[in-house]
Amino acid sequence: MGYLEVEDGRRVYFEHHRGSGRPIVLIHGWGATARCWDTTAPALRANGNEVVLLDQRACGRSDNDFSDVTISALGSDVVRLVEHLGLRAPVVDGWSLGGAVAVDAAAKLGSNCSGVVLTGGATPRYTSTSDWPHGGGVDDVKAVLGAAAADRSNTFKGVAEAVCAEPQTADTLTWLWGMFMEMGPIGDESLLDLAELDQRKILGGLGVPVLFLHGRKDAFVPFSGAEAARDLCSDARLVEFPNAGHAPFLEDRDTYLAELTGFLNR
């Protein structure tokens, strides 16, 4: 593990698990940490992959007092980390908000990116517009953030309970909730930036294969949005997880890993 200084003396936490196989950078969702991948990373290491994880700005073990937590800033951190570690053409895999971060990073990495995986990815839009009828509205996002400002603990407990389609054990919910509670208040601004973001041109312009791994019962990013996003890409495949919600890597781990390692082994 280590820390990378990215802005004004502020640092992000990362882990670099070396391997001889294709590198992959795992990017967590809003409010989570690199620990969300703890049932995914070991299998990737066993597959021989070089695995990199990070805590985004204001999350987990990274500094909490950043001034810029936009998707663009988070994507640039991924690029800096790839360059710092000397990774050669990694795949970037982003969960939820991390999907938008992955798309931003892939565009900036250009030819030094070999693929994008969107795990319940909140991209190219998280909120709906007249020509993108998928998702909620900006006001819905502001309402969640307002609730978090007034009662952070119970708001994030509700978010944790909504991640999976089927009820999870008390221990799993406590684990998810604990990650959310580690995010500093400035991290809320990342979600607000996501609510206004439109990556349709960026996603459609990516020159690498894109794999969508998406739960049919996703309560945060509608499956219809994943279908529309796939159609924007020149080289993309969408895998449906019929009984999963927003976290197919937790809800149907075996299928998730089979699809992900298959993509990495191409």
Side-chain angles (χ1 to χ4, degrees):
M1 69 179 189
Y3 288 89
L4 180 67
E5 183 176 326
V6 294
E7 179 186 276
D8 298 331
R10 304 303 191 272
R11 305 177 305 163
V12 295
Y13 169 89
F14 72 90
E15 298 174 14
H16 182 203
H17 303 280
R18 290 168 175 79
S20 59
R22 197 175 187 186
I24 180 170
V25 181
L26 299 172
I27 307 168
H28 66 75
W30 178 65
T33 76
R35 295 281 68 80
C36 75
W37 299 110
D38 279 356
T39 59
T40 301
L44 297 179
R45 293 186 61 209
N47 191 53
N49 297 102
E50 184 175 9
V51 181
V52 175
L53 310 98
L54 75 157
D55 287 349
Q56 296 179 33
R57 299 182 181 203
C59 295
R61 287 145 292 190
S62 293
D63 290 334
N64 282 318
D65 55 347
F66 279 93
S67 59
D68 184 357
V69 292
T70 60
I71 301 303
S72 178
L74 302 179
S76 293
D77 289 347
V78 173
V79 174
R80 290 188 186 96
L81 184 55
V82 167
E83 293 173 347
H84 172 73
L85 297 175
L87 303 184
R88 297 182 60 185
V91 166
V92 288
D93 181 351
W95 173 42
S96 191
L97 175 144
V101 176
V103 169
D104 183 88
K108 291 171 178 173
L109 285 167
S111 61
N112 196 34
C113 176
S114 62
V116 173
V117 180
L118 298 172
T119 301
T123 183
R125 286 197 61 91
Y126 182 55
T127 55
S128 62
T129 63
S130 59
D131 61 348
W132 186 264
H134 315 285
V138 175
D139 287 344
D140 297 323
V141 173
K142 290 180 178 179
V144 171
L145 295 179
D151 185 354
R152 205 159 185 84
S153 179
N154 283 304
T155 298
F156 281 126
K157 185 177 182 182
V159 172
E161 290 171 345
V163 167
C164 298
E166 299 296 328
Q168 300 296 299
T169 66
D171 287 342
T172 296
L173 291 175
T174 298
W175 173 65
L176 286 168
W177 181 35
M179 283 190 280
F180 292 136
M181 292 303 297
E182 290 187 49
M183 181 176 65
I186 191 66
D188 294 6
E189 294 185 13
S190 294
L191 186 63
L192 190 59
D193 183 58
L194 180 70
E196 304 279 3
L197 188 67
D198 193 321
Q199 293 183 317
R200 279 179 280 187
K201 290 184 178 179
I202 298 174
L203 179 62
L206 293 180
V208 296
V210 181
L211 176 65
F212 292 83
L213 301 173
H214 212 100
R216 168 63 73 172
K217 299 178 181 179
D218 194 322
F220 293 90
V221 182
F223 189 79
S224 62
E227 292 177 310
R230 173 201 56 196
D231 293 342
L232 294 173
C233 303
S234 59
D235 182 1
R237 189 167 74 92
L238 170 61
V239 178
E240 174 188 350
F241 291 75
N243 299 311
H246 195 46
F249 58 97
L250 298 177
E251 300 170 86
D252 188 352
R253 178 177 181 266
D254 289 347
T255 303
Y256 182 85
L257 290 173
E259 294 291 346
L260 180 57
T261 55
F263 183 78
L264 291 170
N265 291 340
R266 287 171 51 175

